[in-house]
């Protein structure tokens, strides 16, 4: 096996491990927001390492894989942001109640007071 | 024709994507790519990209590289952080949402900062209202959480400001 092949397999293994930890984090974290932490950061780096690993094994695909990496970096945080925002503006009894402070909630409440 | 720069940069960006996807350098393929790129760029009036040629100054390119390197190092740190949290027997959390000001006028810049903060250790952008960003922490930093959040946002904003103007 060539050196590039070994590097490729190591990257594939690392990416797979990080994706596994990400899935485990979604099961283990206590509330919606914290699950989102595990589901965004770890899946992004996991996918990137996976793409690079595939790129080492099949160098011809590298341009396409780099496009995929850029798209993943651009879209993953936006998906997490949309989910977090939806949870925060959703019904009260479905929100996690363990937040120590919530500036967004407070400043929204202040804004509503001013509107009245 | 005031946004001809952004139209040209849309064409260049689309051509790069086209070549990456087709990996075919025959004249007919490239010609088809140019036709589609020009069609899209003209019909959207270059709305997809701003004028990317402004980035072609050495100082800005250097700042962009610094930003990308900083961002990637933060992302690796974020993953190690998540890894240790998830693998502990009791997941340590002390969550909270803290607001901070970005202080950038550029709309795309604000979005880049919001996305970067989502991918950095322990933080997730919940909402972005005008100039104010709301960050969710897995565990609030010790001491003054407001000041710590502002420091984090400023760290990104300062580095990005050098790229944008």
């Amino acid at each position: 096996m060539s050196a590039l092949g070994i590097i490729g397999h190591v990257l594939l293994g690392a990416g797979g491990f990080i994706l596994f930890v990400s899935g485990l984090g979604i099961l283990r974290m206590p509330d919606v927001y914290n699950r989102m932490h595990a589901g965004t950061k770890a899946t992004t780096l996991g996918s990137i390492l996976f793409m690079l690993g595939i790129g080492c094994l099949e160098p011809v695909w590298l341009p396409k894989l780099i496009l995929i990496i850029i798209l993943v970096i651009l879209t993953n945080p936006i998906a997490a942001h949309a989910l977090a925002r939806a949870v925060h503006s959703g019904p009260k009894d479905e929100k996690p109640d363990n937040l120590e402070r919530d500036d967004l909630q407070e400043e929204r409440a202040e804004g509503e007071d001013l509107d009245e | 024709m005031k946004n001809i720069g952004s139209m040209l940069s849309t064409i260049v960006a689309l051509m790069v994507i086209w070549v990456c996807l087709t990996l075919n350098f025959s004249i007919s393929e490239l010609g088809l790519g140019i036709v589609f790129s020009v069609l899209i760029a003209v019909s959207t009036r270059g709305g997809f990209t701003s004028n990317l040629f402004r980035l072609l100054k050495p100082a800005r390119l250097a700042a962009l590289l610094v930003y990308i390197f900083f961002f990637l190092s933060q992302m690796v740190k974020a993953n190690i952080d998540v890894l240790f949290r998830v693998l502990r027997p009791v997941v340590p959390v002390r969550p909270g949402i803290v607001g901070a000001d970005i202080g950038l006028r550029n709309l795309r810049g604000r979005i880049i900062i919001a996305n970067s903060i989502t991918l950095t250790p322990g933080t997730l952008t919940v909402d972005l209202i005008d100039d104010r960003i709301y960050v969710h922490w897995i565990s609030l930093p010790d001491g003054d959480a407001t000041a710590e959040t502002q420091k984090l946002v400023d760290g990104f904003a300062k580095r990005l400001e050098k790229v944008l103007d």
Side-chain angles (χ1 to χ4, degrees):
Chain A
M1 198 191 285
S2 64
L4 207 58
I6 294 172
I7 295 171
H9 281 101
V10 168
L11 284 174
L12 281 181
F17 176 69
I18 289 176
L19 285 174
F20 167 73
V21 169
S22 158
L24 197 67
I26 290 177
L27 288 177
R28 289 206 62 204
M29 290 296 200
D31 64 81
V32 192
Y33 296 122
N34 285 321
R35 284 195 193 116
M36 223 114 60
H37 279 281
T40 348
K41 299 188 221 309
T43 44
T44 311
L45 189 70
S47 322
I48 291 173
L49 289 180
F50 227 93
M51 298 302 157
L52 290 178
I54 297 170
C56 288
L57 297 180
E58 293 278 350
V60 191
W61 296 350
L62 209 54
K64 290 183 195 185
L65 295 168
I66 287 171
L67 269 188
I68 297 175
I69 289 175
I70 292 172
L71 278 179
V72 164
I73 290 183
L74 287 180
T75 52
N76 241 351
I78 294 178
H81 166 67
L83 283 170
R85 202 171 161 226
V87 170
H88 196 279
S89 53
K92 211 167 218 164
D93 50 341
E94 285 172 20
K95 272 192 256 183
D97 51 3
N98 59 354
L99 289 179
E100 282 208 6
R101 60 182 279 191
D102 193 343
D103 285 4
L104 182 55
Q105 190 71 46
E106 283 166 21
E107 281 171 35
R108 274 222 181 112
E110 277 170 25
E112 277 163 16
D113 287 346
L114 290 176
D115 287 344
E116 281 167 6
Chain B
M1 277 301 171
K2 62 181 164 79
N3 41 16
I4 192 133
S6 51
M7 264 153 76
L8 274 179
S9 37
T10 304
I11 293 174
V12 172
L14 288 174
M15 271 315 283
V16 170
I17 294 175
W18 178 274
V19 169
C20 281
L21 286 179
T22 56
L23 290 182
N24 186 334
F25 295 95
S26 67
I27 292 170
S28 58
E29 284 278 349
L30 289 179
L32 205 59
I34 288 173
V35 168
F36 281 127
S37 310
V38 171
L39 262 179
I40 292 171
V42 171
S43 60
T44 60
R45 295 207 186 85
F48 278 136
T49 53
S50 54
N51 191 346
L52 296 178
F53 296 111
R54 282 180 308 176
L55 285 176
L56 287 179
K57 284 181 190 158
R60 278 187 193 152
L61 275 182
L64 184 67
L65 282 182
V66 168
Y67 187 83
I68 290 175
F69 187 75
F70 176 68
F71 168 71
L72 287 179
S73 68
Q74 288 290 312
M75 202 168 76
V76 172
K77 240 193 263 174
N79 278 277
I80 295 167
D81 175 75
V82 166
L83 211 115
F84 278 120
R85 271 177 215 278
V86 170
L87 296 179
R88 284 226 196 119
V90 178
V91 182
V93 289
R94 197 161 75 88
I97 296 175
V98 185
D101 294 315
I102 297 182
L104 266 183
R105 278 191 302 140
N106 190 311
L107 204 62
R108 285 191 172 92
R110 286 183 197 164
I111 294 172
I112 292 173
I113 288 184
N115 283 355
S116 304
I117 282 173
T118 296
L119 293 174
T120 48
T123 52
L124 182 102
T125 307
V126 177
D127 212 341
L128 181 66
I129 301 172
D130 293 334
D131 197 16
R132 212 152 157 69
I133 190 172
Y134 296 90
V135 175
H136 175 270
W137 290 84
I138 291 189
S139 60
L140 287 169
D142 299 325
D144 189 358
T146 314
E148 289 290 322
T149 311
Q150 189 65 52
K151 215 167 81 186
L152 174 87
V153 174
D154 284 345
F156 279 105
K158 241 188 285 161
R159 286 179 174 85
L160 196 62
E161 217 167 18
K162 283 184 198 142
V163 183
L164 293 173
D165 36 49

